[in-house]
Amino acid sequence: MVAALVLLAVAGVGFMGGLLVGRPAAETYTVLVYLKTTAKDNDKGGVRKALERLHPDGAIRFVTKQQASAKAKKMFSDDPDALKYMTPDNLPESFEADLVTRSISCKGISPIRKMPSVDSLVVVRKYHDGVPAATIGC
């Protein structure tokens, strides 16, 4: 009887240890929400509230057309043909929110894509520590 209890306890500890060791580390995923040009302030507020419900790590960032243009010009600085199109008139306003989690779930993210003021939504994981970058289909 005692041997069976000891065996059960050892198996339980082994199982829990394996669960803890085998769990993936938390990673940062960035939700990028690109707005339609027709988005009004109240539409933007609705998108921000939807992102807040995801409990992001840190502040939700609103990216103006001018900020998007400056960022794009840095990214494409070696491509003069692309730079012609990286103007505030050609780039959308957007929101960015970082989610830190062991596994990403699209449950709360997918409905944002269907909001009338949202043009597109992308979830990305940046390259880090040998883990490849990824685009998550939500």
Side-chain angles (χ1 to χ4, degrees):
M1 177 76 163
V2 172
L5 288 175
V6 169
L7 185 58
L8 188 59
V10 169
V13 169
F15 176 76
M16 288 306 294
L19 247 175
L20 294 175
V21 171
R23 290 182 70 186
E27 295 186 288
T28 301
Y29 297 87
T30 302
V31 180
L32 305 161
V33 181
Y34 297 99
L35 302 173
K36 292 179 180 175
T37 56
T38 57
K40 305 288 185 230
D41 287 343
N42 61 335
D43 297 324
K44 295 172 191 176
V47 172
R48 180 179 288 279
K49 285 182 182 177
L51 287 169
E52 286 170 355
R53 286 192 289 273
L54 299 175
H55 306 290
D57 183 49
I60 295 168
R61 300 172 299 281
F62 179 73
V63 181
T64 66
K65 291 172 165 265
Q66 292 76 14
Q67 291 168 327
S69 177
K71 188 176 179 180
K73 285 179 180 178
K74 277 185 186 179
M75 288 176 60
F76 295 98
S77 62
D78 59 346
D79 187 350
D81 290 332
L83 286 175
K84 292 187 279 189
Y85 304 101
M86 301 300 163
T87 66
D89 292 335
N90 291 330
L91 297 171
E93 293 178 317
S94 63
F95 284 100
E96 299 176 356
D98 295 327
L99 307 179
V100 177
T101 182
R102 284 186 163 75
S103 63
I104 192 79
S105 168
C106 295
K107 181 179 178 184
I109 298 170
S110 294
I112 297 171
R113 178 186 309 280
K114 297 175 184 146
M115 296 178 82
S117 59
V118 173
D119 184 48
S120 64
L121 182 144
V122 179
V123 180
V124 296
R125 180 187 67 206
K126 294 180 181 170
Y127 174 85
H128 68 90
D129 302 324
V131 176
T135 300
I136 313 301
C138 283

